[in-house]
Amino acid sequence: MVHDDGADGPAPGGGRVPGGAPPPGIAHGTAHLRVFQPLAAYPDAVQARLIAGAHRTRAEVEAEAAERARRRLARPVTDPFPEPGEDDLVRVLQDEQGSAFYCPDEFGLRAEMAAAQLEETMLPLAYEAAVPTAARAMNRGRVLVALEEEWGLSPDPDADRAHPDEEDGPGRDEDGPSGRHRVQTRTATWGVPHGWLAVFDPEEPVRRLVDGERTAYRRAPALAALERAGHAAAALSRHAPDAELIAELTVMVEWLGAFHPDSHVELDYGGLTRHVWPDDSVFDLWTLIDALEEGDEATAGVAQGRLNRRWAAVGMLARLT
């Protein structure tokens, strides 16, 4: 199944769960879409935390994230949330000019978002077993305090319609066009939503994320990604107005538009790399969109078929875990 923390909609054959905290046992099939912003995009208190957390290399960040996930699974009492006092992991990207861009993991906030969505879809007894009320309440409190202290956002979940269970997270982001705080990481399991793929150019190089690891990623300037998502949405609205992808792309446009214009977008294939690499999905998606614009239904159908077969095969792996 495909779980996406930003409600983009599923990749072929999947479902979704907002929040970005994948259920236990499926992290090895997890991919992430991240926005890296320049330091100036953050309040002073957040800047200080990002600088302090940037001492780890990217390889060390990924190793620490995996170790924390292992510790959560090994707890004697069920608690899927971060440990009290646990520092937020910070991923850093450097562009060709050496400028640094930051993506805080925001795991506590994303875990709260996931818990809120799961509460709507699970039976009460099953939900309480997976997400104990006391553990969630403690995490929620820490999240709201951090948002107030660092971002100046109201700790009152009822203020300004600021509910953590809404997809953008609690509070207000006065710099964002929607006036809401946006998490910088979206997460999908056993698939990559087509809305993610549309923000990349098939001609852009794909690189290895961590030396010695079979992990691939795509990167693009946020403005270019935003323009592509908008173009794809407009093209589909004209030529395939019933396509589910239009809703995904609308979410992507709104999400990307909330961040600093000098940001970068990264698709980290993570544990999916070994199952799908080399991945031609971006090429296939843009072949599909271009063919629709040209009225070439045969080529569009071939490209759609390749996409469906590739990700249906990946989705089947979820049943084996």
Side-chain angles (χ1 to χ4, degrees), residues 48-313:
R49 177 167 58 79
L50 294 177
I51 293 171
H55 63 280
R56 294 185 177 97
T57 67
R58 187 61 182 269
E60 290 171 342
V61 169
E62 304 306 339
E64 177 63 19
E67 173 59 21
R68 291 182 182 185
R70 186 199 64 78
R71 291 201 302 265
R72 286 193 296 272
L73 286 174
R75 288 172 179 169
V77 178
T78 301
D79 183 349
F81 299 101
E83 296 177 0
E86 193 172 77
D87 62 313
D88 193 22
L89 293 174
V90 179
R91 292 172 175 82
V92 182
L93 178 156
Q94 286 193 328
D95 64 11
E96 295 178 353
Q97 288 72 44
S99 299
F101 299 81
Y102 301 84
C103 181
D105 194 56
E106 299 179 290
F107 184 78
L109 174 56
R110 294 189 297 116
E112 164 59 25
M113 294 163 66
Q117 180 67 10
L118 285 173
E119 188 174 21
E120 299 177 359
T121 60
M122 295 178 67
L123 294 174
L125 288 178
Y127 176 78
E128 175 62 26
V131 186
T133 300
R136 182 182 173 189
M138 291 182 62
N139 180 72
R140 181 186 174 94
R142 292 192 296 266
V143 165
L144 292 174
V145 168
L147 285 172
E148 180 186 26
E149 293 180 348
E150 295 186 342
W151 292 91
L153 306 180
S154 172
D156 179 1
D158 296 321
D160 297 319
R161 296 182 292 110
H163 288 274
D165 34 327
E166 294 178 3
E167 69 176 58
D168 298 331
R172 297 181 59 82
D173 176 3
E174 298 300 338
D175 294 329
S178 67
R180 303 204 57 79
H181 180 79
R182 302 294 181 107
V183 293
Q184 290 178 229
T185 300
R186 307 178 84 85
T187 298
T189 57
W190 296 117
V192 173
H194 290 171
W196 294 16
L197 301 170
V199 307
F200 298 100
D201 184 335
E203 300 300 322
E204 289 171 337
V206 180
R207 308 172 186 177
R208 294 303 182 193
L209 182 63
V210 180
D211 290 342
E213 297 290 336
R214 285 186 52 81
T215 304
Y217 68 92
R218 299 181 185 272
R219 284 178 179 164
L223 284 180
L226 182 60
E227 181 179 352
R228 290 175 192 135
H231 172 74
L236 290 174
S237 295
R238 291 192 300 269
H239 302 288
D242 296 329
E244 293 182 2
L245 181 55
I246 296 174
E248 292 185 31
L249 290 167
T250 299
V251 170
M252 289 303 300
V253 168
E254 294 174 350
W255 183 62
L256 291 172
F259 298 110
H260 193 286
D262 293 336
S263 301
H264 293 265
V265 183
E266 175 189 277
L267 169 55
D268 176 0
Y269 281 85
L272 289 178
T273 303
R274 64 191 182 98
H275 301 296
V276 302
W277 202 253
D279 178 31
D280 295 323
S281 296
V282 173
F283 172 81
D284 288 336
L285 181 60
W286 280 106
T287 297
L288 167 63
I289 294 171
D290 291 343
L292 288 174
E293 290 191 289
E294 296 169 2
D296 185 352
E297 294 184 4
T299 299
V302 170
Q304 181 70 70
R306 288 197 299 260
L307 280 169
N308 289 346
R309 287 191 297 272
R310 180 180 302 115
W311 293 105

